[in-house]
Amino acid sequence: MKKTALTFLGLCLTVLTFGQTNNNAKLIELGKTYKDFMFRNEPTKEVFKDIKADIPENLKTATDFIVQTITTKNKLLTQQFLSRPDDQTLKQIFIIRAVNLNLREENQIDNNKLIDSLTTANIPTYELVDNYYGMLFTAVGNKNQPFDFSKVDFKLKDYNFKDDTEKGILFLRCMDYCGKTIWGYMNVVNPPNTQKAYDNIKKYPKFNGRPYYQYTDFYFTDFEMNIVKDKGIQGYKSYYLDKFYETLLSHLICLNKENGSEKEKNDLLLGSILKNNNLYKYTKYKDTLEEIFKEQKRD
């Protein structure tokens, strides 16, 4: 009886070890594929066939997501992928991206050791959620051109979010990408090309059936994480709300330069967080914003 129990235990350990090894191999394969094809490179049919083969049952959702991130004209803006995955899938996708980053280093660590350490690590849930939507909107930007979110309406209540923080992460990650589509027009060329920037702003998405700028649910507790490589720990709202304020101010400049109506300007000024001075601590544009509303009061 004792020998039978030991034999059974040994068999279980062998199965668990094989399963973990099989998982690691697939995670590494997905990380390599993501690295090779996340930008402009187009995967061949053979690449898709390989990564869709021999998928461990618990990695199917993560694999489907990675397939979309390397696919041109992908389906990432559908409810299937906009919906928050379960925590296990979020962590798997986090690990896949970590393998991708490791493979870009000259002094790489062993990917199996990396995977094992991250698998047992207690990674904050908000960091996992941020990683997922960061990868999603990066893939949309890289693979779905030209930029046009004009027919997109993000229904945040439909995406299985657990709280306002997770909703805010999707929103801020989306608007970070949208802001990048006008940044060059507003900051690189001289004078700013407000016509081109405004053309893109008109293609910004709606959230919950309303214009993007009317989203104001940013009163969740701030949290810290590594956001920019080599910059150390940063406050999430301090980083992304600052960028969102910049996008809103660029929108206002475009309305002023491109003959926007007074109604459009007032809707933006009074319907967005531009007026919310209790959020100004999260942006370097605090003085600019206070001056704008000081002038409004004088008018």
Side-chain angles (χ1 to χ4, degrees), residues 27 30-31 33-35 38-39 62-71 74 76-77 81-82 85 89-101 104 127-144 169-170 173-174 176-177 180 236 240:
L27 288 167
L30 289 168
T33 305
Y34 181 69
K35 175 185 73 69
M38 67 173 290
F39 292 111
T63 301
D64 287 344
F65 177 72
I66 296 301
V67 167
Q68 291 300 313
T69 65
I70 63 173
T71 300
N74 55 59
L76 288 171
L77 294 181
F81 294 101
L82 288 170
T89 302
L90 286 174
K91 194 164 194 181
Q92 289 166 347
I93 292 169
F94 184 94
I95 289 170
I96 290 165
R97 180 172 176 268
V99 170
N100 143 72
L101 293 173
R104 299 174 187 276
E127 194 167 340
L128 297 177
V129 173
D130 170 76
N131 176 75
Y132 179 80
Y133 290 104
M135 289 175 70
L136 186 148
F137 286 110
T138 295
V140 170
N142 288 339
K143 298 293 184 177
N144 298 0
I169 288 170
L170 181 146
R173 275 298 201 164
C174 176
D176 180 53
Y177 163 58
K180 287 172 181 172
Y236 197 84
Y240 283 109

Short mmCIF file of all heavy atoms in Angstrom, two decimals, residues 27 30-31 33-35 38-39 62-71 74 76-77 81-82 85 89-101 104 127-144 169-170 173-174 176-177 180 236 240:
data_model
loop_
_atom_site.label_atom_id
_atom_site.label_comp_id
_atom_site.label_asym_id
_atom_site.label_seq_id
_atom_site.Cartn_x
_atom_site.Cartn_y
_atom_site.Cartn_z
N LEU A 27 5.04 29.55 -23.52
CA LEU A 27 5.19 30.97 -23.16
C LEU A 27 6.41 31.58 -23.84
O LEU A 27 6.36 32.72 -24.31
CB LEU A 27 5.31 31.10 -21.64
CG LEU A 27 4.03 30.84 -20.83
CD1 LEU A 27 4.35 30.69 -19.35
CD2 LEU A 27 3.01 31.95 -21.05
N LEU A 30 5.60 32.04 -27.55
CA LEU A 30 4.71 33.19 -27.73
C LEU A 30 5.48 34.50 -27.55
O LEU A 30 5.24 35.47 -28.28
CB LEU A 30 3.55 33.11 -26.75
CG LEU A 30 2.52 32.00 -27.04
CD1 LEU A 30 1.58 31.83 -25.84
CD2 LEU A 30 1.71 32.30 -28.29
N GLY A 31 6.40 34.54 -26.58
CA GLY A 31 7.21 35.73 -26.36
C GLY A 31 8.08 36.04 -27.56
O GLY A 31 8.22 37.20 -27.98
N THR A 33 7.54 35.06 -30.70
CA THR A 33 6.68 35.43 -31.83
C THR A 33 6.19 36.86 -31.68
O THR A 33 6.16 37.63 -32.65
CB THR A 33 5.48 34.46 -31.92
OG1 THR A 33 5.97 33.12 -32.00
CG2 THR A 33 4.64 34.75 -33.14
N TYR A 34 5.81 37.23 -30.46
CA TYR A 34 5.37 38.60 -30.20
C TYR A 34 6.51 39.58 -30.51
O TYR A 34 6.29 40.61 -31.17
CB TYR A 34 4.92 38.73 -28.75
CG TYR A 34 4.44 40.12 -28.38
CD1 TYR A 34 3.25 40.62 -28.88
CD2 TYR A 34 5.17 40.94 -27.51
CE1 TYR A 34 2.79 41.88 -28.55
CE2 TYR A 34 4.72 42.19 -27.16
CZ TYR A 34 3.54 42.67 -27.68
OH TYR A 34 3.10 43.92 -27.36
N LYS A 35 7.71 39.26 -30.08
CA LYS A 35 8.87 40.13 -30.35
C LYS A 35 9.08 40.33 -31.85
O LYS A 35 9.33 41.43 -32.32
CB LYS A 35 10.13 39.53 -29.74
CG LYS A 35 11.42 40.29 -30.08
CD LYS A 35 12.65 39.60 -29.55
CE LYS A 35 13.03 38.35 -30.31
NZ LYS A 35 13.53 38.65 -31.68
N MET A 38 5.32 42.08 -33.55
CA MET A 38 4.44 43.06 -32.92
C MET A 38 4.42 44.39 -33.66
O MET A 38 3.46 45.16 -33.53
CB MET A 38 4.85 43.30 -31.46
CG MET A 38 6.18 43.97 -31.28
SD MET A 38 6.53 44.43 -29.55
CE MET A 38 5.35 45.76 -29.30
N PHE A 39 5.46 44.68 -34.45
CA PHE A 39 5.50 45.95 -35.18
C PHE A 39 4.99 45.76 -36.60
O PHE A 39 3.86 45.36 -36.81
CB PHE A 39 6.91 46.53 -35.15
CG PHE A 39 7.33 46.99 -33.77
CD1 PHE A 39 8.31 46.32 -33.06
CD2 PHE A 39 6.71 48.08 -33.16
CE1 PHE A 39 8.69 46.73 -31.80
CE2 PHE A 39 7.07 48.49 -31.88
CZ PHE A 39 8.07 47.81 -31.20
N ALA A 62 -4.69 33.29 -23.66
CA ALA A 62 -3.50 34.12 -23.85
C ALA A 62 -2.96 33.98 -25.27
O ALA A 62 -2.54 34.97 -25.89
CB ALA A 62 -2.42 33.72 -22.84
N THR A 63 -2.98 32.76 -25.81
CA THR A 63 -2.51 32.53 -27.18
C THR A 63 -3.38 33.27 -28.18
O THR A 63 -2.88 33.91 -29.11
CB THR A 63 -2.48 31.02 -27.50
OG1 THR A 63 -1.63 30.35 -26.57
CG2 THR A 63 -1.97 30.78 -28.91
N ASP A 64 -4.70 33.20 -27.99
CA ASP A 64 -5.62 33.92 -28.89
C ASP A 64 -5.31 35.41 -28.89
O ASP A 64 -5.35 36.07 -29.94
CB ASP A 64 -7.07 33.70 -28.46
CG ASP A 64 -7.58 32.30 -28.76
OD1 ASP A 64 -6.93 31.60 -29.57
OD2 ASP A 64 -8.62 31.91 -28.19
N PHE A 65 -5.01 35.95 -27.71
CA PHE A 65 -4.69 37.38 -27.61
C PHE A 65 -3.40 37.71 -28.36
O PHE A 65 -3.36 38.67 -29.14
CB PHE A 65 -4.56 37.79 -26.14
CG PHE A 65 -4.15 39.22 -25.94
CD1 PHE A 65 -5.04 40.25 -26.19
CD2 PHE A 65 -2.86 39.54 -25.51
CE1 PHE A 65 -4.66 41.59 -26.02
CE2 PHE A 65 -2.47 40.86 -25.34
CZ PHE A 65 -3.38 41.89 -25.59
N ILE A 66 -2.35 36.92 -28.17
CA ILE A 66 -1.08 37.17 -28.85
C ILE A 66 -1.25 37.05 -30.36
O ILE A 66 -0.68 37.85 -31.13
CB ILE A 66 0.02 36.22 -28.34
CG1 ILE A 66 0.31 36.48 -26.85
CG2 ILE A 66 1.30 36.37 -29.16
CD1 ILE A 66 0.75 37.89 -26.52
N VAL A 67 -2.04 36.08 -30.82
CA VAL A 67 -2.33 35.96 -32.26
C VAL A 67 -2.91 37.27 -32.79
O VAL A 67 -2.51 37.76 -33.86
CB VAL A 67 -3.29 34.79 -32.53
CG1 VAL A 67 -3.85 34.85 -33.96
CG2 VAL A 67 -2.59 33.45 -32.31
N GLN A 68 -3.83 37.87 -32.05
CA GLN A 68 -4.43 39.13 -32.49
C GLN A 68 -3.41 40.28 -32.50
O GLN A 68 -3.44 41.14 -33.38
CB GLN A 68 -5.62 39.49 -31.60
CG GLN A 68 -6.82 38.57 -31.78
CD GLN A 68 -7.36 38.55 -33.18
OE1 GLN A 68 -7.56 39.60 -33.80
NE2 GLN A 68 -7.62 37.36 -33.70
N THR A 69 -2.51 40.30 -31.54
CA THR A 69 -1.54 41.41 -31.47
C THR A 69 -0.55 41.41 -32.62
O THR A 69 0.10 42.43 -32.88
CB THR A 69 -0.74 41.40 -30.15
OG1 THR A 69 0.08 40.22 -30.09
CG2 THR A 69 -1.64 41.49 -28.93
N ILE A 70 -0.42 40.29 -33.32
CA ILE A 70 0.52 40.24 -34.46
C ILE A 70 -0.23 40.18 -35.79
O ILE A 70 0.38 40.02 -36.84
CB ILE A 70 1.48 39.04 -34.34
CG1 ILE A 70 0.73 37.70 -34.39
CG2 ILE A 70 2.33 39.15 -33.07
CD1 ILE A 70 1.64 36.48 -34.45
N THR A 71 -1.56 40.34 -35.74
CA THR A 71 -2.40 40.24 -36.93
C THR A 71 -2.80 41.62 -37.43
O THR A 71 -3.29 42.45 -36.66
CB THR A 71 -3.68 39.42 -36.62
OG1 THR A 71 -3.31 38.11 -36.21
CG2 THR A 71 -4.59 39.34 -37.83
N ASN A 74 -6.69 43.44 -36.92
CA ASN A 74 -7.10 42.46 -35.92
C ASN A 74 -8.46 42.79 -35.30
O ASN A 74 -9.08 43.80 -35.64
CB ASN A 74 -6.02 42.35 -34.83
CG ASN A 74 -5.71 43.71 -34.23
OD1 ASN A 74 -6.60 44.36 -33.69
ND2 ASN A 74 -4.46 44.14 -34.32
N LEU A 76 -9.04 43.22 -31.98
CA LEU A 76 -8.82 43.60 -30.59
C LEU A 76 -9.83 44.60 -30.06
O LEU A 76 -10.01 44.72 -28.84
CB LEU A 76 -7.39 44.16 -30.42
CG LEU A 76 -6.29 43.10 -30.52
CD1 LEU A 76 -4.92 43.77 -30.58
CD2 LEU A 76 -6.36 42.11 -29.36
N LEU A 77 -10.51 45.32 -30.94
CA LEU A 77 -11.50 46.30 -30.48
C LEU A 77 -12.90 45.71 -30.40
O LEU A 77 -13.88 46.45 -30.34
CB LEU A 77 -11.48 47.54 -31.38
CG LEU A 77 -10.19 48.36 -31.32
CD1 LEU A 77 -10.28 49.57 -32.23
CD2 LEU A 77 -9.87 48.80 -29.90
N PHE A 81 -12.06 40.80 -26.82
CA PHE A 81 -10.72 41.14 -26.36
C PHE A 81 -10.70 42.39 -25.48
O PHE A 81 -9.77 42.56 -24.67
CB PHE A 81 -9.78 41.30 -27.56
CG PHE A 81 -9.57 40.01 -28.29
CD1 PHE A 81 -10.26 39.74 -29.47
CD2 PHE A 81 -8.74 39.03 -27.78
CE1 PHE A 81 -10.10 38.52 -30.13
CE2 PHE A 81 -8.56 37.81 -28.43
CZ PHE A 81 -9.25 37.55 -29.61
N LEU A 82 -11.69 43.26 -25.61
CA LEU A 82 -11.76 44.41 -24.72
C LEU A 82 -12.16 43.99 -23.31
O LEU A 82 -11.83 44.67 -22.34
CB LEU A 82 -12.76 45.44 -25.25
CG LEU A 82 -12.31 46.22 -26.49
CD1 LEU A 82 -13.49 47.01 -27.06
CD2 LEU A 82 -11.13 47.13 -26.17
N PRO A 85 -9.64 39.87 -19.06
CA PRO A 85 -9.44 38.43 -18.85
C PRO A 85 -9.35 38.10 -17.36
O PRO A 85 -9.23 38.99 -16.52
CB PRO A 85 -8.09 38.16 -19.55
CG PRO A 85 -7.81 39.36 -20.39
CD PRO A 85 -8.48 40.50 -19.70
N THR A 89 -4.91 34.53 -16.82
CA THR A 89 -4.58 34.93 -18.19
C THR A 89 -3.81 36.24 -18.22
O THR A 89 -2.85 36.39 -18.98
CB THR A 89 -5.87 35.05 -19.03
OG1 THR A 89 -6.57 33.79 -19.00
CG2 THR A 89 -5.55 35.41 -20.47
N LEU A 90 -4.22 37.18 -17.37
CA LEU A 90 -3.50 38.46 -17.29
C LEU A 90 -2.03 38.22 -16.94
O LEU A 90 -1.13 38.86 -17.51
CB LEU A 90 -4.13 39.36 -16.23
CG LEU A 90 -5.46 40.02 -16.59
CD1 LEU A 90 -6.02 40.75 -15.37
CD2 LEU A 90 -5.31 40.98 -17.76
N LYS A 91 -1.79 37.31 -16.00
CA LYS A 91 -0.41 37.04 -15.59
C LYS A 91 0.36 36.34 -16.71
O LYS A 91 1.54 36.64 -16.94
CB LYS A 91 -0.38 36.20 -14.32
CG LYS A 91 1.00 36.18 -13.66
CD LYS A 91 0.92 35.69 -12.23
CE LYS A 91 2.20 35.98 -11.46
NZ LYS A 91 2.16 35.51 -10.08
N GLN A 92 -0.27 35.43 -17.42
CA GLN A 92 0.39 34.75 -18.54
C GLN A 92 0.81 35.76 -19.61
O GLN A 92 1.93 35.69 -20.13
CB GLN A 92 -0.56 33.71 -19.14
CG GLN A 92 -0.79 32.50 -18.26
CD GLN A 92 -1.98 31.68 -18.72
OE1 GLN A 92 -2.78 32.11 -19.55
NE2 GLN A 92 -2.09 30.47 -18.18
N ILE A 93 -0.06 36.70 -19.90
CA ILE A 93 0.25 37.72 -20.92
C ILE A 93 1.35 38.64 -20.42
O ILE A 93 2.23 39.06 -21.20
CB ILE A 93 -1.04 38.49 -21.29
CG1 ILE A 93 -1.99 37.53 -22.03
CG2 ILE A 93 -0.73 39.71 -22.15
CD1 ILE A 93 -3.40 38.07 -22.22
N PHE A 94 1.35 38.95 -19.13
CA PHE A 94 2.42 39.74 -18.53
C PHE A 94 3.76 39.01 -18.71
O PHE A 94 4.78 39.62 -19.06
CB PHE A 94 2.13 39.95 -17.05
CG PHE A 94 3.11 40.83 -16.32
CD1 PHE A 94 2.88 42.19 -16.18
CD2 PHE A 94 4.27 40.29 -15.76
CE1 PHE A 94 3.78 43.00 -15.50
CE2 PHE A 94 5.18 41.09 -15.09
CZ PHE A 94 4.93 42.45 -14.96
N ILE A 95 3.77 37.71 -18.48
CA ILE A 95 4.99 36.91 -18.60
C ILE A 95 5.45 36.85 -20.06
O ILE A 95 6.65 36.95 -20.34
CB ILE A 95 4.74 35.49 -18.04
CG1 ILE A 95 4.61 35.55 -16.51
CG2 ILE A 95 5.87 34.54 -18.42
CD1 ILE A 95 4.14 34.25 -15.87
N ILE A 96 4.52 36.71 -20.98
CA ILE A 96 4.86 36.69 -22.42
C ILE A 96 5.56 37.98 -22.81
O ILE A 96 6.58 37.96 -23.52
CB ILE A 96 3.60 36.46 -23.27
CG1 ILE A 96 3.09 35.03 -23.08
CG2 ILE A 96 3.88 36.73 -24.75
CD1 ILE A 96 1.67 34.80 -23.58
N ARG A 97 5.04 39.10 -22.34
CA ARG A 97 5.69 40.38 -22.66
C ARG A 97 7.07 40.46 -22.00
O ARG A 97 8.02 40.99 -22.60
CB ARG A 97 4.82 41.55 -22.20
CG ARG A 97 5.45 42.91 -22.51
CD ARG A 97 4.49 44.04 -22.22
NE ARG A 97 5.14 45.32 -22.43
CZ ARG A 97 5.77 46.01 -21.49
NH1 ARG A 97 5.84 45.51 -20.24
NH2 ARG A 97 6.34 47.18 -21.75
N ALA A 98 7.20 39.94 -20.79
CA ALA A 98 8.49 39.95 -20.09
C ALA A 98 9.52 39.11 -20.86
O ALA A 98 10.69 39.51 -20.98
CB ALA A 98 8.34 39.43 -18.67
N VAL A 99 9.10 37.97 -21.41
CA VAL A 99 9.99 37.16 -22.23
C VAL A 99 10.41 37.94 -23.46
O VAL A 99 11.59 37.96 -23.84
CB VAL A 99 9.30 35.83 -22.63
CG1 VAL A 99 10.11 35.08 -23.69
CG2 VAL A 99 9.09 34.94 -21.41
N ASN A 100 9.47 38.61 -24.08
CA ASN A 100 9.77 39.45 -25.24
C ASN A 100 10.81 40.51 -24.91
O ASN A 100 11.77 40.73 -25.66
CB ASN A 100 8.45 40.08 -25.73
CG ASN A 100 8.59 41.50 -26.22
OD1 ASN A 100 9.14 41.78 -27.28
ND2 ASN A 100 8.07 42.42 -25.44
N LEU A 101 10.66 41.17 -23.77
CA LEU A 101 11.63 42.20 -23.37
C LEU A 101 12.98 41.59 -23.06
O LEU A 101 14.03 42.16 -23.40
CB LEU A 101 11.09 42.96 -22.15
CG LEU A 101 9.84 43.82 -22.39
CD1 LEU A 101 9.32 44.38 -21.07
CD2 LEU A 101 10.13 44.95 -23.38
N ARG A 104 15.20 40.95 -25.97
CA ARG A 104 15.76 42.15 -26.59
C ARG A 104 17.03 42.63 -25.88
O ARG A 104 17.65 43.60 -26.31
CB ARG A 104 14.73 43.28 -26.60
CG ARG A 104 13.47 42.96 -27.40
CD ARG A 104 12.42 44.05 -27.25
NE ARG A 104 11.16 43.66 -27.87
CZ ARG A 104 10.88 43.80 -29.16
NH1 ARG A 104 11.76 44.35 -29.97
NH2 ARG A 104 9.70 43.41 -29.64
N GLU A 127 -1.32 46.37 -12.17
CA GLU A 127 -0.18 46.32 -13.08
C GLU A 127 -0.43 45.30 -14.19
O GLU A 127 -0.06 45.52 -15.35
CB GLU A 127 1.09 45.96 -12.30
CG GLU A 127 2.36 46.22 -13.08
CD GLU A 127 3.61 46.18 -12.20
OE1 GLU A 127 3.47 46.32 -10.97
OE2 GLU A 127 4.69 46.01 -12.77
N LEU A 128 -1.07 44.20 -13.85
CA LEU A 128 -1.41 43.18 -14.85
C LEU A 128 -2.46 43.72 -15.83
O LEU A 128 -2.36 43.50 -17.05
CB LEU A 128 -1.94 41.92 -14.17
CG LEU A 128 -0.98 41.18 -13.24
CD1 LEU A 128 -1.69 39.99 -12.59
CD2 LEU A 128 0.27 40.70 -13.97
N VAL A 129 -3.45 44.43 -15.30
CA VAL A 129 -4.49 45.02 -16.15
C VAL A 129 -3.88 46.07 -17.07
O VAL A 129 -4.18 46.13 -18.27
CB VAL A 129 -5.62 45.63 -15.29
CG1 VAL A 129 -6.62 46.39 -16.15
CG2 VAL A 129 -6.34 44.55 -14.49
N ASP A 130 -3.01 46.90 -16.52
CA ASP A 130 -2.35 47.92 -17.33
C ASP A 130 -1.53 47.28 -18.45
O ASP A 130 -1.55 47.75 -19.60
CB ASP A 130 -1.43 48.77 -16.45
CG ASP A 130 -0.54 49.68 -17.28
OD1 ASP A 130 -1.05 50.69 -17.78
OD2 ASP A 130 0.65 49.35 -17.46
N ASN A 131 -0.81 46.23 -18.14
CA ASN A 131 0.00 45.56 -19.16
C ASN A 131 -0.88 45.04 -20.30
O ASN A 131 -0.54 45.19 -21.47
CB ASN A 131 0.75 44.38 -18.52
CG ASN A 131 1.53 43.58 -19.55
OD1 ASN A 131 2.57 44.00 -20.03
ND2 ASN A 131 1.03 42.40 -19.91
N TYR A 132 -2.02 44.46 -19.95
CA TYR A 132 -2.91 43.91 -20.96
C TYR A 132 -3.41 44.99 -21.92
O TYR A 132 -3.30 44.86 -23.15
CB TYR A 132 -4.10 43.22 -20.29
CG TYR A 132 -5.09 42.64 -21.28
CD1 TYR A 132 -4.84 41.42 -21.91
CD2 TYR A 132 -6.27 43.32 -21.60
CE1 TYR A 132 -5.74 40.88 -22.82
CE2 TYR A 132 -7.17 42.79 -22.52
CZ TYR A 132 -6.90 41.58 -23.13
OH TYR A 132 -7.79 41.06 -24.04
N TYR A 133 -3.94 46.08 -21.36
CA TYR A 133 -4.49 47.12 -22.23
C TYR A 133 -3.40 47.94 -22.92
O TYR A 133 -3.61 48.45 -24.02
CB TYR A 133 -5.50 47.99 -21.47
CG TYR A 133 -6.74 47.20 -21.16
CD1 TYR A 133 -6.98 46.71 -19.88
CD2 TYR A 133 -7.64 46.87 -22.16
CE1 TYR A 133 -8.09 45.93 -19.60
CE2 TYR A 133 -8.76 46.10 -21.90
CZ TYR A 133 -8.98 45.62 -20.62
OH TYR A 133 -10.08 44.83 -20.37
N GLY A 134 -2.24 48.01 -22.31
CA GLY A 134 -1.10 48.62 -22.99
C GLY A 134 -0.73 47.84 -24.24
O GLY A 134 -0.51 48.41 -25.31
N MET A 135 -0.66 46.51 -24.11
CA MET A 135 -0.35 45.66 -25.27
C MET A 135 -1.46 45.73 -26.31
O MET A 135 -1.20 45.75 -27.52
CB MET A 135 -0.14 44.21 -24.82
CG MET A 135 1.14 43.99 -24.04
SD MET A 135 1.30 42.29 -23.41
CE MET A 135 1.55 41.36 -24.93
N LEU A 136 -2.71 45.77 -25.84
CA LEU A 136 -3.84 45.82 -26.77
C LEU A 136 -3.79 47.07 -27.63
O LEU A 136 -3.87 46.99 -28.87
CB LEU A 136 -5.15 45.75 -25.98
CG LEU A 136 -6.45 45.64 -26.79
CD1 LEU A 136 -7.50 44.83 -26.02
CD2 LEU A 136 -7.04 47.02 -27.12
N PHE A 137 -3.64 48.23 -27.02
CA PHE A 137 -3.67 49.46 -27.81
C PHE A 137 -2.38 49.67 -28.60
O PHE A 137 -2.40 50.30 -29.66
CB PHE A 137 -3.99 50.66 -26.92
CG PHE A 137 -5.44 50.69 -26.50
CD1 PHE A 137 -5.81 50.45 -25.19
CD2 PHE A 137 -6.43 50.92 -27.44
CE1 PHE A 137 -7.15 50.45 -24.82
CE2 PHE A 137 -7.78 50.92 -27.08
CZ PHE A 137 -8.14 50.68 -25.76
N THR A 138 -1.28 49.13 -28.12
CA THR A 138 -0.05 49.13 -28.92
C THR A 138 -0.27 48.34 -30.21
O THR A 138 0.12 48.77 -31.30
CB THR A 138 1.12 48.53 -28.13
OG1 THR A 138 1.42 49.37 -27.01
CG2 THR A 138 2.37 48.40 -29.01
N ALA A 139 -0.90 47.18 -30.09
CA ALA A 139 -1.16 46.34 -31.25
C ALA A 139 -2.14 47.00 -32.21
O ALA A 139 -1.96 46.94 -33.44
CB ALA A 139 -1.69 44.99 -30.81
N VAL A 140 -3.17 47.64 -31.68
CA VAL A 140 -4.11 48.36 -32.54
C VAL A 140 -3.36 49.45 -33.32
O VAL A 140 -3.56 49.63 -34.52
CB VAL A 140 -5.27 48.96 -31.72
CG1 VAL A 140 -6.11 49.91 -32.57
CG2 VAL A 140 -6.14 47.84 -31.15
N GLY A 141 -2.49 50.18 -32.62
CA GLY A 141 -1.72 51.24 -33.28
C GLY A 141 -0.76 50.72 -34.33
O GLY A 141 -0.59 51.32 -35.39
N ASN A 142 -0.13 49.58 -34.04
CA ASN A 142 0.86 49.03 -34.97
C ASN A 142 0.23 48.33 -36.17
O ASN A 142 0.78 48.34 -37.27
CB ASN A 142 1.76 48.03 -34.24
CG ASN A 142 2.73 48.70 -33.29
OD1 ASN A 142 3.02 49.88 -33.41
ND2 ASN A 142 3.22 47.94 -32.32
N LYS A 143 -0.92 47.70 -35.96
CA LYS A 143 -1.46 46.80 -36.97
C LYS A 143 -2.72 47.30 -37.68
O LYS A 143 -3.07 46.78 -38.73
CB LYS A 143 -1.76 45.43 -36.33
CG LYS A 143 -0.53 44.71 -35.76
CD LYS A 143 0.42 44.29 -36.87
CE LYS A 143 1.58 43.49 -36.33
NZ LYS A 143 2.48 43.02 -37.40
N ASN A 144 -3.43 48.24 -37.09
CA ASN A 144 -4.69 48.70 -37.67
C ASN A 144 -4.56 50.14 -38.16
O ASN A 144 -4.84 51.08 -37.43
CB ASN A 144 -5.84 48.60 -36.65
CG ASN A 144 -6.09 47.18 -36.18
OD1 ASN A 144 -5.42 46.25 -36.61
ND2 ASN A 144 -7.05 47.01 -35.31
N ILE A 169 -7.94 52.52 -16.20
CA ILE A 169 -6.74 52.03 -16.87
C ILE A 169 -7.00 51.86 -18.36
O ILE A 169 -6.20 52.30 -19.20
CB ILE A 169 -6.26 50.71 -16.23
CG1 ILE A 169 -5.66 50.99 -14.85
CG2 ILE A 169 -5.23 50.01 -17.12
CD1 ILE A 169 -5.38 49.73 -14.03
N LEU A 170 -8.13 51.22 -18.72
CA LEU A 170 -8.44 51.09 -20.15
C LEU A 170 -8.56 52.47 -20.78
O LEU A 170 -7.98 52.72 -21.86
CB LEU A 170 -9.74 50.31 -20.37
CG LEU A 170 -10.13 50.13 -21.85
CD1 LEU A 170 -10.84 48.79 -22.08
CD2 LEU A 170 -11.04 51.26 -22.36
N ARG A 173 -5.10 54.25 -21.06
CA ARG A 173 -4.25 53.59 -22.05
C ARG A 173 -4.73 53.88 -23.47
O ARG A 173 -3.94 54.10 -24.38
CB ARG A 173 -4.22 52.08 -21.80
CG ARG A 173 -3.19 51.67 -20.77
CD ARG A 173 -1.79 52.03 -21.24
NE ARG A 173 -0.77 51.24 -20.55
CZ ARG A 173 0.48 51.11 -20.97
NH1 ARG A 173 0.86 51.71 -22.09
NH2 ARG A 173 1.36 50.42 -20.29
N CYS A 174 -6.04 53.88 -23.66
CA CYS A 174 -6.60 54.20 -24.96
C CYS A 174 -6.27 55.64 -25.35
O CYS A 174 -5.81 55.91 -26.46
CB CYS A 174 -8.12 54.00 -24.95
SG CYS A 174 -8.93 54.48 -26.49
N ASP A 176 -3.92 57.54 -24.18
CA ASP A 176 -2.49 57.70 -24.38
C ASP A 176 -2.14 57.40 -25.83
O ASP A 176 -1.38 58.14 -26.47
CB ASP A 176 -1.72 56.77 -23.45
CG ASP A 176 -0.21 56.89 -23.61
OD1 ASP A 176 0.31 58.02 -23.52
OD2 ASP A 176 0.45 55.86 -23.84
N TYR A 177 -2.71 56.32 -26.37
CA TYR A 177 -2.49 56.00 -27.78
C TYR A 177 -3.08 57.09 -28.69
O TYR A 177 -2.43 57.56 -29.62
CB TYR A 177 -3.10 54.64 -28.13
CG TYR A 177 -3.27 54.42 -29.60
CD1 TYR A 177 -2.17 54.49 -30.47
CD2 TYR A 177 -4.53 54.17 -30.16
CE1 TYR A 177 -2.33 54.32 -31.83
CE2 TYR A 177 -4.68 53.99 -31.52
CZ TYR A 177 -3.59 54.06 -32.36
OH TYR A 177 -3.73 53.90 -33.71
N LYS A 180 -0.98 60.17 -28.88
CA LYS A 180 0.23 60.02 -29.70
C LYS A 180 -0.03 60.28 -31.18
O LYS A 180 0.88 60.64 -31.92
CB LYS A 180 0.81 58.62 -29.51
CG LYS A 180 1.47 58.42 -28.15
CD LYS A 180 1.87 56.99 -27.91
CE LYS A 180 2.51 56.81 -26.53
NZ LYS A 180 2.75 55.40 -26.20
N TYR A 236 0.71 56.38 -11.20
CA TYR A 236 -0.03 56.08 -12.44
C TYR A 236 -0.83 57.30 -12.91
O TYR A 236 -0.76 57.68 -14.08
CB TYR A 236 -0.97 54.90 -12.20
CG TYR A 236 -1.45 54.26 -13.48
CD1 TYR A 236 -0.68 53.31 -14.14
CD2 TYR A 236 -2.68 54.61 -14.04
CE1 TYR A 236 -1.11 52.72 -15.32
CE2 TYR A 236 -3.12 54.02 -15.21
CZ TYR A 236 -2.32 53.08 -15.85
OH TYR A 236 -2.75 52.49 -17.03
N TYR A 240 -0.28 59.32 -16.46
CA TYR A 240 -1.26 59.23 -17.55
C TYR A 240 -2.28 60.36 -17.55
O TYR A 240 -2.74 60.79 -18.63
CB TYR A 240 -1.96 57.86 -17.53
CG TYR A 240 -1.08 56.77 -18.09
CD1 TYR A 240 -0.53 55.80 -17.26
CD2 TYR A 240 -0.77 56.72 -19.44
CE1 TYR A 240 0.28 54.79 -17.76
CE2 TYR A 240 0.04 55.72 -19.97
CZ TYR A 240 0.57 54.77 -19.11
OH TYR A 240 1.39 53.79 -19.63
#
